[in-house]
Amino acid sequence: MTAGAATPIDVLGPVGRSVDWQRVAADHWDRRPALLRPIRTPGRTAPFNPHEVFEGAVAAAHHTTADADERIRFTVGPRRLTDPGDLLPRPEDGSFAAYDRRLARQLGDTPFALVVRELHAGHHPLWARERTFLAGLWDEVGQPLAPIGTTLCHGTSEPPRPSPSHHRAATFLYVLHGRPRFHLTGPGDRHWTASALPGDLLYWPADHEHTVHAPGSPATTVRISVPRAASPLISHSSPHGTWGAVDTLVPHGEPPDDLPGTLPPALAAALDHLRQEARPAPLQRRLAHEVLRHATDGGLRPAPAPTRPGYFTDDDAVRATERVVWMPAGGQRLVAACGHVTRTGLTARELGALIGRLNDGETLPVGELTPPARRLLARLAAFRAVERL
């Protein structure tokens, strides 16, 4: 190979109907890029399904939150629109193909790009599919503590580079539609080029730079960003969380003589809250909460929000659709599934028996259960972990 020539990228075929995660972990993880070709069609073992991705984009576009401006970006040519209006995907479009036809009528040949961050957060089937897909990788390399990002890029413009982050992140980029070309640059100025087809999954380590050259026709990709830097287990990774950690700067030297003798009311209240939360029992519960969430969310945070709690009658029967776990902590018993945690009044013996039956796949007649057990099942139904038969 002459100086400056591109290095051939490794192309890995599937093992059975899944990615060869053992080979990825042994030869490529944190080492060099690879082009993974698990399945050409978006089957059950594919990381993303085009219909679910489109529904996730619609959900993000029509669900107003405080951080909506950061989650969704739409550009027309070189301009980013602060209010894209009807240029965002709508339910009546039904698919990216129909959405593209509508934008062609509205924008003509002007290039456009739609970017949706935290795509998995608004669509439970999409989140569950991605979590199942990544489970094989975590079996080999371990699940990171920091939250994993999922970003949709769709359009005819070249996708923007990821926003700067304090986490170094490895990347998996899945191609749903189009034939984008990639240029990767690694340490020592080694570089790779690759042309991806729908169904391809491109991996590159955190210390590699990338450029995506989009074709003239619309292309759809989803990027999975896996943090590769150490992160505390207890963090403010969820917008619904109540516990955060920030860097505190402590000045050197002696304090000045004119400091007031008491704290301002806001700081005094914050200090009292910290003292209360730092007691052994609350701290144990918070740590258990994070451990249980980590054990059930596959690293994909925030998980889709729960639905309304289920309502069951004596004639109903239910069974688990997800693994349910529990842990005693600080005098309470915490129960988790699908990245969400609740607490229950059931005793440890009652809870162990109930969850054991659920995880064994048994059908539970609701009429035989105690009121505390029914209340727990109602919460698990909201988590989408049990279903009525």
Side-chain angles (χ1 to χ4, degrees):
M1 184 180 69
T2 60
T7 303
I9 194 167
D10 293 342
V11 179
L12 307 186
V15 172
R17 293 185 59 81
S18 185
V19 170
D20 187 351
W21 290 123
Q22 287 187 343
R23 185 177 174 189
V24 171
D27 299 337
H28 297 86
W29 186 246
D30 288 338
R31 294 178 181 87
R32 62 180 188 270
L35 184 61
L36 315 177
R37 286 183 166 156
I39 301 173
R40 276 275 168 251
T41 57
R44 294 183 61 188
T45 55
F48 296 101
N49 174 280
H51 302 293
E52 294 171 355
V53 171
F54 179 77
E55 291 172 354
V58 170
H62 295 273
H63 181 63
T64 303
T65 61
D67 62 346
D69 185 59
E70 292 301 319
R71 284 194 62 199
I72 302 175
R73 296 192 176 196
F74 191 90
T75 58
V76 176
R79 297 182 300 112
R80 179 187 173 189
L81 304 186
T82 56
D83 183 12
D86 63 354
L87 295 178
L88 295 178
R90 301 187 302 201
E92 55 268 29
D93 290 324
S95 68
F96 280 115
Y99 172 59
D100 292 337
R101 290 193 293 269
R102 177 167 66 83
L103 288 193
R105 294 192 297 270
Q106 294 177 256
L107 300 176
D109 295 331
T110 306
F112 73 93
L114 168 70
V115 177
V116 180
R117 294 175 56 249
E118 294 183 354
L119 178 69
H120 61 264
H123 194 277
H124 181 81
L126 186 152
W127 173 87
R129 177 189 291 272
E130 187 178 351
R131 183 197 55 177
T132 299
F133 178 79
L134 291 173
L137 176 62
W138 307 151
D139 289 342
E140 301 296 331
V141 303
Q143 179 180 318
L145 294 178
I148 296 158
T150 307
T151 303
L152 164 71
C153 296
H154 174 79
T156 54
S157 298
E158 293 187 7
R161 291 183 177 274
S163 300
S165 172
H166 61 284
H167 291 307
R168 296 172 59 251
T171 300
F172 289 96
L173 193 143
Y174 186 73
V175 180
L176 284 140
H177 181 70
R179 298 192 175 192
R181 288 184 56 81
F182 302 89
H183 182 88
L184 306 173
T185 304
D189 203 30
R190 294 184 67 190
H191 60 275
W192 297 257
T193 59
S195 295
L197 303 173
D200 284 350
L201 183 70
L202 184 66
Y203 163 76
W204 62 86
D207 56 0
H208 286 52
E209 297 292 333
H210 78 282
T211 302
V212 181
H213 301 284
S217 58
T220 310
T221 62
V222 183
R223 183 174 63 239
I224 304 172
S225 301
V226 183
R228 301 301 301 134
S231 174
L233 180 60
I234 297 180
S235 64
H236 189 59
S237 58
S238 170
H240 309 293
T242 58
W243 182 281
V246 296
D247 294 330
T248 302
L249 301 179
V250 180
H252 295 289
E254 295 295 326
D257 296 332
D258 57 349
L259 286 177
T262 59
L263 289 173
L267 291 181
L271 181 59
D272 182 65
H273 176 73
L274 177 61
R275 286 171 174 161
Q276 295 296 320
E277 291 297 317
R279 291 177 302 163
L283 192 58
Q284 288 175 11
R285 288 194 291 270
R286 182 58 189 175
L287 182 59
H289 181 282
E290 295 301 312
V291 168
L292 290 172
R293 186 178 68 164
H294 180 77
T296 58
D297 66 10
L300 295 165
R301 295 187 290 273
T307 62
R308 293 181 178 180
Y311 176 78
F312 304 114
T313 68
D314 289 345
D315 297 328
D316 288 327
V318 301
R319 68 180 175 190
T321 57
E322 293 275 353
R323 185 172 67 98
V324 182
V325 296
W326 73 282
M327 179 183 296
Q332 297 180 358
R333 286 156 298 284
L334 305 182
V335 183
C338 300
H340 299 291
V341 184
T342 188
R343 60 185 180 184
T344 178
L346 291 170
T347 66
R349 182 174 180 179
E350 292 169 336
L351 185 57
L354 177 67
I355 292 181
R357 294 176 66 186
L358 286 172
N359 289 338
D360 285 343
E362 289 189 33
T363 297
L364 302 184
V366 174
E368 299 178 2
L369 302 178
T370 62
R374 294 190 187 198
R375 287 193 291 271
L376 176 58
L377 287 182
R379 290 297 299 158
L380 292 176
F383 297 167
R384 304 176 182 86
V386 300
E387 65 179 359
R388 179 189 289 107
L389 299 181

